[in-house]
Amino acid sequence: MKPDKSEVRDFLVSRRAKVTPEQAGLSHYGGNRRVPGLRREEVALLAGVSIDYYTKLEKGNLSGVSDSVLHSVAQALQLDDAERSHLIDLARSANTSPARSTRRPTRRTVRAGLQMVLDQMPGMPAFVTNGRMEVLAWNALGDAMHSGLFTRELAAGRTPSFARFNALDEASQHFYVDWEKAIATTASMLRTEVGRCPGDPSLSALIGELCTRSDAFATQWARHDVRIHRSGLKHFVHPDVGELALHYEVLPVLADEGQAITVYAAEVGSPTHEKLQLLASMSATQRAERIGLHVEDGAADPEDEHTF
């Protein structure tokens, strides 16, 4: 499905507004500029295209645009890697015929082998997500690090969702040391997914829900920022063990398009490493107690089935 022209327009306009003439190496002329950042004609000049052609692009018409023009526009707007990839995604969708535009839907289950990988990393919180920030599978420490969020959602018959947790659950404001940054990241990751999967009804419904119910998310969504989530350092406050400083790596699952494993790790010997060990021990004890109760009651442990 082709991207909404407003998505293309608003993205290009928002990026143009972020670049000043000085940053672009242009002389600042005309004391009262009516637009923030660059004018259309200035972007066209920097990209080496006519003002009419750039205006067509900014109105959302990316049909037939060449890779060289995309590269020139990205350079003129000083796009970073995530923004450049987003523009390419939008152009690819605009130039793909309807007969060839259907992407293979992201699996909402994980393979047994992938679950095995998660379970054999007991000392590191790990989980599998898709582009909509749904949590498809996890290991015990991953769930414990999130205070049982995943298993609670599963028990309620819902797919665990970081997007909904971050934007709609008040507990998230205490879980993240920098909640505002978490909301900004959530909006930018979902915006990136819109470029990859334009017209996805479930994604559109999710974004509509978050914008309606969360002013903080709606504000960040209007910024049209995008982000590629790869690695970094995050700070959390766990209600049982306190503050955690965790390095994370996001590893795409090449065999299953749209899925990625996120793994958290702490420096050996650090306070966070000791807290993770304590959390793992607490989780194992609680799990053993639950299994014992379920065995006595003749019921299955709900954690034995935690994929979709």
Side-chain angles (χ1 to χ4, degrees):
M1 185 176 293
K2 295 184 182 300
D4 187 333
K5 287 188 176 182
S6 65
E7 179 71 24
V8 178
R9 180 192 66 233
D10 293 345
F11 176 68
L12 289 175
V13 169
S14 67
R15 299 312 93 177
R16 176 162 61 88
K18 293 178 66 175
V19 183
T20 67
E22 290 82 4
Q23 290 172 327
L26 298 174
S27 300
H28 191 162
Y29 60 89
N32 295 318
R33 298 176 66 89
R34 292 183 297 175
V35 296
L38 297 177
R39 299 185 175 106
R40 283 181 178 173
E41 57 266 30
E42 291 169 334
V43 177
L45 173 67
L46 291 166
V49 298
S50 69
I51 177 61
D52 289 340
Y53 189 76
Y54 178 73
T55 298
K56 183 190 79 167
L57 299 182
E58 198 170 276
K59 287 183 177 180
N61 186 0
L62 294 179
S63 297
V65 64
S66 67
D67 290 344
S68 61
V69 169
L70 287 176
H71 174 76
S72 296
V73 169
Q75 192 168 29
L77 294 174
Q78 300 184 13
L79 303 186
D80 61 22
D81 289 346
E83 292 167 333
R84 187 182 297 265
S85 294
H86 186 60
L87 180 61
I88 291 172
D89 283 339
L90 293 173
R92 184 195 62 245
S93 298
N95 287 289
T96 301
S97 66
R100 300 178 58 190
S101 63
T102 303
R103 294 169 62 99
R104 184 174 63 182
T106 300
R107 288 166 52 99
R108 297 191 71 187
T109 59
V110 300
R111 291 173 290 105
L114 192 54
Q115 183 65 59
M116 192 182 303
V117 170
L118 297 177
D119 291 337
Q120 293 187 27
M121 294 190 291
M124 295 185 291
F127 46 84
V128 176
T129 55
N130 60 19
R132 293 188 294 277
M133 302 181 70
E134 294 172 328
V135 188
L136 307 181
W138 53 86
N139 64 10
L141 189 53
D143 191 39
M145 192 198 104
H146 292 87
S147 301
L149 171 68
F150 306 154
T151 50
R152 285 198 307 275
E153 289 293 283
L154 178 61
R158 295 186 293 263
T159 301
S161 166
F162 280 128
R164 286 193 173 91
F165 173 71
N166 294 348
L168 305 179
D169 193 327
E170 187 176 343
S172 68
Q173 299 182 33
H174 307 287
F175 180 60
Y176 297 101
V177 170
D178 190 343
W179 179 72
E180 288 79 9
K181 182 178 180 180
I183 286 292
T185 298
T186 300
S188 61
M189 289 178 65
L190 291 179
R191 179 71 72 179
T192 302
E193 185 68 4
V194 166
R196 295 188 186 120
C197 303
D200 180 341
S202 61
L203 180 59
S204 297
L206 172 63
I207 292 166
E209 177 189 3
L210 300 185
C211 284
T212 301
R213 297 179 58 191
S214 170
D215 291 340
F217 179 86
T219 297
Q220 292 299 328
W221 183 252
R223 293 174 59 87
H224 285 268
D225 291 337
V226 291
R227 176 184 173 90
I228 299 174
H229 212 48
R230 290 175 175 154
S231 63
L233 178 67
K234 287 187 178 182
H235 295 268
F236 307 93
V237 179
H238 193 280
D240 295 325
V241 298
E243 186 166 342
L244 301 170
L246 291 166
H247 298 270
Y248 69 90
E249 296 288 335
V250 180
L251 314 171
V253 180
L254 299 182
D256 296 303
E257 184 178 358
Q259 294 185 2
I261 300 176
T262 298
V263 182
Y264 287 106
E267 295 182 16
V268 176
S270 67
T272 293
H273 184 254
E274 294 175 357
K275 291 176 183 178
L276 277 186
Q277 290 178 313
L278 174 59
L279 194 56
S281 176
M282 293 168 58
S283 174
T285 299
Q286 292 167 1
R287 178 176 170 79
E289 291 174 349
R290 284 196 299 269
I291 290 175
L293 290 174
H294 279 280
V295 168
E296 290 178 6
D297 295 339
D301 181 2
E303 289 190 32
D304 288 342
E305 295 291 338
H306 55 265
T307 60
F308 296 82

Coordinates of all heavy atoms in Angstrom, one line a residue, residues 20-27 46 78:
T20 N 18.7 25.4 9.8 CA 18.8 26.8 9.6 C 19.7 27.1 8.4 O 20.5 26.3 7.9 CB 19.4 27.5 10.8 OG1 20.8 27.1 10.9 CG2 18.7 27.1 12.1
P21 N 19.5 28.3 7.8 CA 20.4 28.7 6.7 C 21.9 28.6 7.0 O 22.7 28.2 6.2 CB 20.0 30.1 6.3 CG 18.6 30.2 6.8 CD 18.5 29.4 8.0
E22 N 22.2 29.0 8.3 CA 23.6 28.9 8.7 C 24.1 27.5 8.7 O 25.2 27.2 8.3 CB 23.7 29.6 10.1 CG 23.5 31.1 10.2 CD 22.0 31.5 10.2 OE1 21.2 30.6 10.3 OE2 21.8 32.7 10.1
Q23 N 23.3 26.6 9.2 CA 23.7 25.2 9.2 C 23.9 24.6 7.8 O 24.7 23.7 7.6 CB 22.6 24.3 10.0 CG 22.6 24.6 11.5 CD 21.4 23.9 12.1 OE1 20.3 23.8 11.5 NE2 21.6 23.5 13.4
A24 N 23.1 25.2 6.9 CA 23.2 24.7 5.5 C 24.3 25.4 4.7 O 24.5 25.1 3.6 CB 21.8 24.9 4.8
G25 N 24.9 26.4 5.4 CA 26.0 27.1 4.7 C 25.5 28.2 3.7 O 26.2 28.6 2.8
L26 N 24.2 28.6 3.9 CA 23.7 29.7 3.1 C 23.7 31.0 3.8 O 23.7 31.1 5.0 CB 22.2 29.3 2.8 CG 21.9 28.1 2.0 CD1 20.4 27.8 1.9 CD2 22.5 28.2 0.6
S27 N 23.8 32.1 3.0 CA 23.8 33.4 3.6 C 22.4 33.7 4.1 O 21.4 33.3 3.5 CB 24.1 34.5 2.5 OG 25.4 34.2 2.0
L46 N 20.0 23.5 -2.7 CA 21.0 22.6 -2.1 C 20.9 21.2 -2.7 O 21.9 20.5 -2.8 CB 20.7 22.5 -0.6 CG 21.0 23.8 0.2 CD1 20.5 23.7 1.6 CD2 22.5 24.0 0.2
Q78 N 20.0 17.4 5.7 CA 20.9 16.9 6.7 C 20.3 15.8 7.6 O 20.3 15.8 8.8 CB 21.4 18.0 7.6 CG 22.1 19.1 6.9 CD 22.6 20.3 7.8 OE1 22.7 20.1 9.0 NE2 23.0 21.4 7.1

